Amino acid sequence: MKKLILSFAVLAGLGISAQAQTEKGKIILGGSVAYQSEKSDANGANAAESFNVLPSVGYFVAENIAIGTGIGYNYSNVGAASTTGQREEFLVSPFGRYYTALGEKFKFFGQLQVPLAFGTVKATDASGDAGSKTGTSTSIGVALSPGFAYFPTKKIGIEFALNGISYNNYRVEDANGNELKGAGSDSFAIGTNFFAPRIGIQFHF
């Protein structure tokens, strides 16, 4: 009987440990930073580059359920002559997450995200240098993605997120509010690549 009671106590302890990071009232801090540069010739001219920073914060409104948002900045330049070659955007990305425990230190999560971007676009010359402002850009999307979190400590979660289902609508308007034909796009993606996950770190308090 004592062994049975001890076994239940151990299992209960593991359950509490697994839920400690995602219990109601906890705060999650994280984000992403990315930079990419690609040269199109031997001299380094026409180099396309992009920079993105998106810190995020979330709050657990219930056990294993968190809502939050990311606020950041995005810059990109195609490095070639284009009427919309350079983009600078203000980013807002509200999200909701649901976690379920897979063990003492592992959890699976699903995330629903609504990325929004508002910015300006400029024309670029053959060398990729920006010139006059072409117009304003608006991007609205929605993405549902799965992921796994490993907790080496109670306050740190190492995440492996995968692409799931996503849709994005991107539009560019000139100074008069008219849409620039050929500058916008609608994209839809479904499926994931298990060999190319997005890796990040989240802090739980």
Side-chain angles (χ1 to χ4, degrees), residues 144-160:
L144 179 62
S145 57
F148 299 89
Y150 168 66
F151 295 92
T153 71
K154 291 183 178 180
K155 293 186 177 181
I156 297 178
I158 301 174
E159 298 184 350
F160 302 84

PDB file of all heavy atoms in Angstrom, residues 144-160:
ATOM      1  N   LEU A 144      -1.219  29.015 -38.792  1.00  0.00           N
ATOM      2  CA  LEU A 144      -1.423  27.997 -37.765  1.00  0.00           C
ATOM      3  C   LEU A 144      -0.255  27.024 -37.850  1.00  0.00           C
ATOM      4  O   LEU A 144      -0.035  26.408 -38.898  1.00  0.00           O
ATOM      5  CB  LEU A 144      -2.747  27.261 -37.990  1.00  0.00           C
ATOM      6  CG  LEU A 144      -3.088  26.146 -36.997  1.00  0.00           C
ATOM      7  CD1 LEU A 144      -3.235  26.718 -35.590  1.00  0.00           C
ATOM      8  CD2 LEU A 144      -4.359  25.431 -37.419  1.00  0.00           C
ATOM      9  N   SER A 145       0.517  26.923 -36.772  1.00  0.00           N
ATOM     10  CA  SER A 145       1.729  26.107 -36.825  1.00  0.00           C
ATOM     11  C   SER A 145       1.907  25.288 -35.550  1.00  0.00           C
ATOM     12  O   SER A 145       1.557  25.733 -34.457  1.00  0.00           O
ATOM     13  CB  SER A 145       2.958  26.992 -37.059  1.00  0.00           C
ATOM     14  OG  SER A 145       3.058  27.974 -36.058  1.00  0.00           O
ATOM     15  N   PRO A 146       2.471  24.078 -35.678  1.00  0.00           N
ATOM     16  CA  PRO A 146       2.762  23.235 -34.521  1.00  0.00           C
ATOM     17  C   PRO A 146       4.209  23.411 -34.079  1.00  0.00           C
ATOM     18  O   PRO A 146       5.046  23.949 -34.815  1.00  0.00           O
ATOM     19  CB  PRO A 146       2.532  21.825 -35.073  1.00  0.00           C
ATOM     20  CG  PRO A 146       2.986  21.943 -36.507  1.00  0.00           C
ATOM     21  CD  PRO A 146       2.641  23.338 -36.952  1.00  0.00           C
ATOM     22  N   GLY A 147       4.508  22.959 -32.865  1.00  0.00           N
ATOM     23  CA  GLY A 147       5.877  23.039 -32.385  1.00  0.00           C
ATOM     24  C   GLY A 147       6.080  22.189 -31.143  1.00  0.00           C
ATOM     25  O   GLY A 147       5.119  21.659 -30.557  1.00  0.00           O
ATOM     26  N   PHE A 148       7.332  22.065 -30.744  1.00  0.00           N
ATOM     27  CA  PHE A 148       7.696  21.316 -29.552  1.00  0.00           C
ATOM     28  C   PHE A 148       8.592  22.189 -28.678  1.00  0.00           C
ATOM     29  O   PHE A 148       9.435  22.929 -29.185  1.00  0.00           O
ATOM     30  CB  PHE A 148       8.429  20.028 -29.914  1.00  0.00           C
ATOM     31  CG  PHE A 148       7.614  19.077 -30.739  1.00  0.00           C
ATOM     32  CD1 PHE A 148       7.637  19.157 -32.119  1.00  0.00           C
ATOM     33  CD2 PHE A 148       6.812  18.126 -30.133  1.00  0.00           C
ATOM     34  CE1 PHE A 148       6.882  18.293 -32.896  1.00  0.00           C
ATOM     35  CE2 PHE A 148       6.045  17.259 -30.897  1.00  0.00           C
ATOM     36  CZ  PHE A 148       6.086  17.338 -32.277  1.00  0.00           C
ATOM     37  N   ALA A 149       8.393  22.127 -27.373  1.00  0.00           N
ATOM     38  CA  ALA A 149       9.190  22.902 -26.433  1.00  0.00           C
ATOM     39  C   ALA A 149       9.889  21.964 -25.454  1.00  0.00           C
ATOM     40  O   ALA A 149       9.271  21.037 -24.918  1.00  0.00           O
ATOM     41  CB  ALA A 149       8.320  23.895 -25.679  1.00  0.00           C
ATOM     42  N   TYR A 150      11.174  22.211 -25.244  1.00  0.00           N
ATOM     43  CA  TYR A 150      11.969  21.461 -24.260  1.00  0.00           C
ATOM     44  C   TYR A 150      12.381  22.421 -23.157  1.00  0.00           C
ATOM     45  O   TYR A 150      12.879  23.516 -23.426  1.00  0.00           O
ATOM     46  CB  TYR A 150      13.196  20.854 -24.920  1.00  0.00           C
ATOM     47  CG  TYR A 150      14.217  20.323 -23.933  1.00  0.00           C
ATOM     48  CD1 TYR A 150      13.923  19.225 -23.118  1.00  0.00           C
ATOM     49  CD2 TYR A 150      15.468  20.933 -23.804  1.00  0.00           C
ATOM     50  CE1 TYR A 150      14.839  18.749 -22.208  1.00  0.00           C
ATOM     51  CE2 TYR A 150      16.397  20.457 -22.899  1.00  0.00           C
ATOM     52  CZ  TYR A 150      16.082  19.366 -22.097  1.00  0.00           C
ATOM     53  OH  TYR A 150      16.996  18.906 -21.188  1.00  0.00           O
ATOM     54  N   PHE A 151      12.151  22.041 -21.907  1.00  0.00           N
ATOM     55  CA  PHE A 151      12.434  22.903 -20.773  1.00  0.00           C
ATOM     56  C   PHE A 151      13.604  22.362 -19.966  1.00  0.00           C
ATOM     57  O   PHE A 151      13.427  21.530 -19.072  1.00  0.00           O
ATOM     58  CB  PHE A 151      11.193  23.013 -19.880  1.00  0.00           C
ATOM     59  CG  PHE A 151      10.025  23.683 -20.545  1.00  0.00           C
ATOM     60  CD1 PHE A 151       9.070  22.939 -21.226  1.00  0.00           C
ATOM     61  CD2 PHE A 151       9.889  25.058 -20.513  1.00  0.00           C
ATOM     62  CE1 PHE A 151       7.992  23.553 -21.843  1.00  0.00           C
ATOM     63  CE2 PHE A 151       8.814  25.685 -21.129  1.00  0.00           C
ATOM     64  CZ  PHE A 151       7.871  24.933 -21.795  1.00  0.00           C
ATOM     65  N   PRO A 152      14.844  22.817 -20.251  1.00  0.00           N
ATOM     66  CA  PRO A 152      15.993  22.374 -19.461  1.00  0.00           C
ATOM     67  C   PRO A 152      15.939  22.908 -18.039  1.00  0.00           C
ATOM     68  O   PRO A 152      16.497  22.320 -17.117  1.00  0.00           O
ATOM     69  CB  PRO A 152      17.192  22.948 -20.227  1.00  0.00           C
ATOM     70  CG  PRO A 152      16.635  24.124 -20.977  1.00  0.00           C
ATOM     71  CD  PRO A 152      15.231  23.747 -21.326  1.00  0.00           C
ATOM     72  N   THR A 153      15.279  24.078 -17.841  1.00  0.00           N
ATOM     73  CA  THR A 153      15.036  24.642 -16.515  1.00  0.00           C
ATOM     74  C   THR A 153      13.592  25.114 -16.464  1.00  0.00           C
ATOM     75  O   THR A 153      12.885  25.121 -17.473  1.00  0.00           O
ATOM     76  CB  THR A 153      15.967  25.840 -16.220  1.00  0.00           C
ATOM     77  OG1 THR A 153      15.575  26.952 -17.034  1.00  0.00           O
ATOM     78  CG2 THR A 153      17.423  25.495 -16.522  1.00  0.00           C
ATOM     79  N   LYS A 154      13.151  25.559 -15.308  1.00  0.00           N
ATOM     80  CA  LYS A 154      11.769  25.999 -15.151  1.00  0.00           C
ATOM     81  C   LYS A 154      11.484  27.300 -15.882  1.00  0.00           C
ATOM     82  O   LYS A 154      10.332  27.611 -16.180  1.00  0.00           O
ATOM     83  CB  LYS A 154      11.437  26.162 -13.668  1.00  0.00           C
ATOM     84  CG  LYS A 154      11.376  24.844 -12.911  1.00  0.00           C
ATOM     85  CD  LYS A 154      10.972  25.070 -11.469  1.00  0.00           C
ATOM     86  CE  LYS A 154      10.871  23.758 -10.720  1.00  0.00           C
ATOM     87  NZ  LYS A 154      10.470  23.954  -9.296  1.00  0.00           N
ATOM     88  N   LYS A 155      12.528  28.089 -16.179  1.00  0.00           N
ATOM     89  CA  LYS A 155      12.310  29.400 -16.778  1.00  0.00           C
ATOM     90  C   LYS A 155      12.748  29.508 -18.233  1.00  0.00           C
ATOM     91  O   LYS A 155      12.588  30.556 -18.842  1.00  0.00           O
ATOM     92  CB  LYS A 155      13.038  30.466 -15.956  1.00  0.00           C
ATOM     93  CG  LYS A 155      12.452  30.655 -14.560  1.00  0.00           C
ATOM     94  CD  LYS A 155      13.116  31.812 -13.840  1.00  0.00           C
ATOM     95  CE  LYS A 155      12.478  32.046 -12.478  1.00  0.00           C
ATOM     96  NZ  LYS A 155      13.103  33.200 -11.762  1.00  0.00           N
ATOM     97  N   ILE A 156      13.287  28.437 -18.787  1.00  0.00           N
ATOM     98  CA  ILE A 156      13.773  28.479 -20.172  1.00  0.00           C
ATOM     99  C   ILE A 156      13.119  27.376 -20.988  1.00  0.00           C
ATOM    100  O   ILE A 156      13.107  26.211 -20.592  1.00  0.00           O
ATOM    101  CB  ILE A 156      15.302  28.327 -20.233  1.00  0.00           C
ATOM    102  CG1 ILE A 156      15.969  29.509 -19.524  1.00  0.00           C
ATOM    103  CG2 ILE A 156      15.778  28.256 -21.684  1.00  0.00           C
ATOM    104  CD1 ILE A 156      17.475  29.417 -19.485  1.00  0.00           C
ATOM    105  N   GLY A 157      12.576  27.761 -22.147  1.00  0.00           N
ATOM    106  CA  GLY A 157      12.014  26.793 -23.080  1.00  0.00           C
ATOM    107  C   GLY A 157      12.693  26.903 -24.429  1.00  0.00           C
ATOM    108  O   GLY A 157      12.748  27.990 -25.022  1.00  0.00           O
ATOM    109  N   ILE A 158      13.269  25.816 -24.905  1.00  0.00           N
ATOM    110  CA  ILE A 158      13.883  25.768 -26.234  1.00  0.00           C
ATOM    111  C   ILE A 158      12.853  25.189 -27.193  1.00  0.00           C
ATOM    112  O   ILE A 158      12.366  24.078 -26.988  1.00  0.00           O
ATOM    113  CB  ILE A 158      15.158  24.904 -26.231  1.00  0.00           C
ATOM    114  CG1 ILE A 158      16.170  25.476 -25.237  1.00  0.00           C
ATOM    115  CG2 ILE A 158      15.773  24.845 -27.632  1.00  0.00           C
ATOM    116  CD1 ILE A 158      17.400  24.622 -25.064  1.00  0.00           C
ATOM    117  N   GLU A 159      12.520  25.953 -28.236  1.00  0.00           N
ATOM    118  CA  GLU A 159      11.415  25.574 -29.104  1.00  0.00           C
ATOM    119  C   GLU A 159      11.861  25.185 -30.505  1.00  0.00           C
ATOM    120  O   GLU A 159      12.786  25.762 -31.074  1.00  0.00           O
ATOM    121  CB  GLU A 159      10.426  26.731 -29.192  1.00  0.00           C
ATOM    122  CG  GLU A 159       9.802  27.087 -27.851  1.00  0.00           C
ATOM    123  CD  GLU A 159       8.745  28.164 -27.972  1.00  0.00           C
ATOM    124  OE1 GLU A 159       8.620  28.758 -29.052  1.00  0.00           O
ATOM    125  OE2 GLU A 159       8.035  28.404 -26.968  1.00  0.00           O
ATOM    126  N   PHE A 160      11.151  24.207 -31.046  1.00  0.00           N
ATOM    127  CA  PHE A 160      11.320  23.763 -32.425  1.00  0.00           C
ATOM    128  C   PHE A 160       9.953  23.910 -33.095  1.00  0.00           C
ATOM    129  O   PHE A 160       9.066  23.095 -32.885  1.00  0.00           O
ATOM    130  CB  PHE A 160      11.801  22.316 -32.482  1.00  0.00           C
ATOM    131  CG  PHE A 160      13.095  22.075 -31.747  1.00  0.00           C
ATOM    132  CD1 PHE A 160      13.107  21.837 -30.383  1.00  0.00           C
ATOM    133  CD2 PHE A 160      14.301  22.115 -32.434  1.00  0.00           C
ATOM    134  CE1 PHE A 160      14.297  21.623 -29.708  1.00  0.00           C
ATOM    135  CE2 PHE A 160      15.492  21.910 -31.773  1.00  0.00           C
ATOM    136  CZ  PHE A 160      15.496  21.668 -30.400  1.00  0.00           C
TER     137      PHE A 160
END
